[in-house]
Amino acid sequence: MSGYLKGRLRREDIIAAAMDVYREAGYHGSSLREIAKRANLTHAGLIYYFPSKEALLAAVLERRDAEDTEREKLDTTPPGVEVLHHFLAIVEHNTRNPGVVDMYTRLAAEAVAVDHPAHAYFERHYRMARDNAEATFRALSERGELRTGVDPAMAALTFIALWDGLQVQWLTNQAEVDMLGSIRTHLQNLLTVPLD
Amino acid sequence: MSGYLKGRLRREDIIAAAMDVYREAGYHGSSLREIAKRANLTHAGLIYYFPSKEALLAAVLERRDAEDTEREKLDTTPPGVEVLHHFLAIVEHNTRNPGVVDMYTRLAAEAVAVDHPAHAYFERHYRMARDNAEATFRALSERGELRTGVDPAMAALTFIALWDGLQVQWLTNQAEVDMLGSIRTHLQNLLTVPLD
DNA sequence: CCTACCGATCGGTAGG
DNA sequence: CCTACCGATCGGTAGG
């Protein structure tokens, strides 16, 4: 096994451990010592791989985006009902992966503070999500597939806000909250065509 | 000025300072020393008034509820469209008080963690909000004022989730987000009668 | 209400 | 990648 490969695997272990700890304690609440312990090394050893606490956070966010091949596909899907199906597929995927949702929600909430190291990341993330949704609703509107009086920009904002809010409710009580059904129903209520 | 009065005023100062710091740093991110400094005493002095960090948090949440005479009024309003007007009045009031919304959102997000000292408080808070909304939609449904096929329980969950999600978006970008308009439009879309 | 202190924990560095 | 350490900060206590 080459030294480079070993190093890469070690980094992956550390990132996975960091995601676990961020999920439980947020960024500020987590310590390099706790993350290092779960990756079986000392906190000084961790710093050998990631030069600072912030650099590790950046690596975690970067890998999360890299994993999101779904988002990649989203970018290349032409605006229309198909995009809504893509959104729903992501929600369904999330339903089977509460850990990632939990980590993301935890960090996003913390990063509302302007001086949080992930603030810029999430600002960009949300803007892209909103723009994407707005373009979709606009295309639907031009084809007459959006109910009369529904404004694409407001529909986009409402959709993203609903998605976020539902994740929080779902994380608090997964048994009682039908995240996928609620979003599907909400979208269907905006459309003049069936969503199936 | 009586000693008791002085003590009560001092406590109010400390609680106000705590709300400020919680808003900026959350509960775990804030220190008794910083809160104390803003209330013009030492952190040991603060502990003279509130025996622990958790006791101060409890006092902050308690006072926030006490201030919410609006919620009190909500409890005594019979289910129906009038309750929706009450909800919208709260949203409008919040629009003029970003500080309190910010503090609440920050704490609520942090308290998703089950071992957070405010976890039980927010669980109760959300359950009450959801139950209240569900009873309202149910009453509307029985009078035929809810659109066909709208399920009161799902409408309540969706409404609370949307409200929460919009607050986060609004806090991040107050200029671009029409919180009140979005909620009003969403509600109107569920009804068969005008919301005015 | 303060001064003075405690034990614990933090991110990061030195030096190997 | 570790041991050993630094300066800073934390919540809480003692004792007045």
Side-chain angles (χ1 to χ4, degrees), chain A residues 16-59:
Chain A
M19 291 180 75
D20 269 355
V21 179
Y22 290 169
R23 176 164 53 80
E24 295 168 19
Y27 172 74
H28 284 125
S30 66
S31 71
L32 296 180
R33 281 168 173 84
E34 175 61 28
I35 294 167
K37 185 161 58 166
R38 301 201 195 187
N40 294 313
L41 76 172
T42 65
H43 92 282
L46 190 160
I47 286 178
Y48 168 79
Y49 288 104
F50 298 95
S52 72
K53 197 184 181 187
E54 284 201 29
L56 176 56
L57 173 64

Side-chain angles (χ1 to χ4, degrees), chain B residues 6 10 42 44 48-49:
Chain B
K6 195 180 141 203
R10 208 78 162 95
T42 65
Y48 169 80
Y49 287 104

Side-chain angles (χ1 to χ4, degrees), chain B residues 121-141:
Chain B
Y121 172 88
F122 279 103
E123 216 167 44
R124 189 170 5 101
H125 177 78
Y126 280 122
R127 195 179 330 115
M128 280 168 53
R130 237 192 297 173
D131 287 353
N132 206 332
E134 184 174 337
T136 302
F137 286 126
R138 204 170 293 284
L140 292 170
S141 179

Side-chain angles (χ1 to χ4, degrees), chain A residues 80-95:
Chain A
V81 183
E82 209 183 325
V83 179
L84 298 186
H85 287 133
H86 248 127
F87 283 141
L88 291 173
I90 294 176
V91 175
E92 207 220 339
H93 175 261
N94 286 349
T95 302

